[in-house]
Amino acid sequence: MRSQKKGIPMELEFPTQKKLHLVVGDITSLAVDAIVNAANETLLGGGGVDGAIHRAAGPELLAECRLLGGCETGEAKSTRGYKLPARYVIHTVGPIWCGGSWGEADRLRSCYESCFKEALRLQCDSIAFPAISTGAYGYPLKEACKIALTAAFQICCQKELLYPKEIYLVCFNSQALDAYNEVLDEGLEVPLA
Ligand code: ADP
């Protein structure tokens, strides 16, 4: 299904016709139906990808976020995209890495699952994710990439699931892309959803 050299963006097409893309760049520039924000529990903005999304979307995004009343770790809430090329922003709160024995993996998995549920509810054909929790929240990159890829594969394998049809895993730098490729090279075990 794939032929790929390390460090190169790629596209995988599944027998379900769903597509998974690994891309390098700034998520705020993507014209997809929804981009995912790695937010904090207040949903009132922060650094990293959160700051970039708020800057690109404009102040109306913060105004809508104020109405949401925050978000629990592992859950997701959506807003419009305002000045972004994306129609929606799905805000999720990743776990802060505390060594790995505090349910971090379950919570990170839950972020992806919650975002996919929201994308289905909003009938988004395409959704783009940053590598949630791998910046300020300190989640080990490769472990986080494995969780992201497993969650994405589960969606891509489900023919009867109408949305989303295209998933973008966005790498902000080459380390993230290398980590995704390493996980793919080692092989993934994808449990049936
Ligand atoms: P968290 O607090 O969940 O760790 P961060 O924003 O600090 O969130 O980092 C999450 C990931 O998003 C990191 O891998 C970081 O490199 C990446 N990132 C930062 N800015 C952008 C952007 N504009 N587009 C895509 N990814 C980004």
Side-chain angles (χ1 to χ4, degrees):
M1 194 158 58
R2 67 183 281 268
S3 80
Q4 174 61 40
K5 289 200 188 94
K6 192 175 167 187
I8 301 175
M10 63 179 292
E11 178 185 301
L12 281 177
E13 183 160 2
F14 288 70
T16 56
Q17 323 280 273
K18 291 179 190 275
K19 284 187 185 162
L20 174 60
H21 307 263
L22 280 188
V23 296
V24 180
D26 179 350
I27 202 166
T28 64
S29 68
L30 293 185
V32 287
D33 290 324
I35 61 169
V36 171
N37 182 14
N40 60 51
E41 286 188 345
T42 69
L43 296 187
L44 299 181
V49 71
D50 196 4
I53 288 173
H54 275 272
R55 278 193 299 279
E60 286 166 301
L61 178 63
L62 181 58
E64 189 177 351
C65 282
R66 285 192 200 284
L67 306 175
L68 296 177
C71 182
E72 300 276 323
T73 301
E75 295 183 359
K77 293 186 178 178
S78 53
T79 59
R80 288 166 53 198
Y82 299 99
K83 293 198 179 105
L84 289 163
R87 207 149 43 104
Y88 298 106
V89 180
I90 300 178
H91 307 262
T92 189
V93 183
I96 297 172
W97 179 258
C98 295
S101 306
W102 299 92
E104 291 96 328
D106 285 344
R107 286 177 187 200
L108 187 56
R109 210 170 291 121
S110 170
C111 286
Y112 285 94
E113 288 167 3
S114 302
C115 290
F116 283 128
K117 275 194 199 133
E118 198 57 12
L120 175 63
R121 189 181 72 79
L122 298 168
Q123 303 192 335
C124 294
D125 278 329
S126 53
I127 181 170
F129 289 88
I132 301 165
S133 281
T134 66
Y137 282 4
Y139 207 106
L141 186 57
K142 197 167 159 193
E143 290 309 308
C145 290
K146 197 169 184 175
I147 289 172
L149 278 168
T150 305
F153 268 61
Q154 278 186 306
I155 296 298
C156 288
C157 290
Q158 291 183 60
K159 194 180 176 64
E160 66 286 359
L161 191 72
L162 291 181
Y163 305 97
K165 298 179 175 72
E166 297 211 42
I167 300 169
Y168 292 80
L169 297 178
V170 183
C171 309
F172 201 47
N173 51 42
S174 61
Q175 287 97 308
L177 185 62
D178 286 348
Y180 277 119
N181 277 302
E182 271 172 48
V183 173
L184 286 172
D185 285 343
E186 286 166 16
L188 271 182
E189 273 183 40
V190 182
L192 291 177

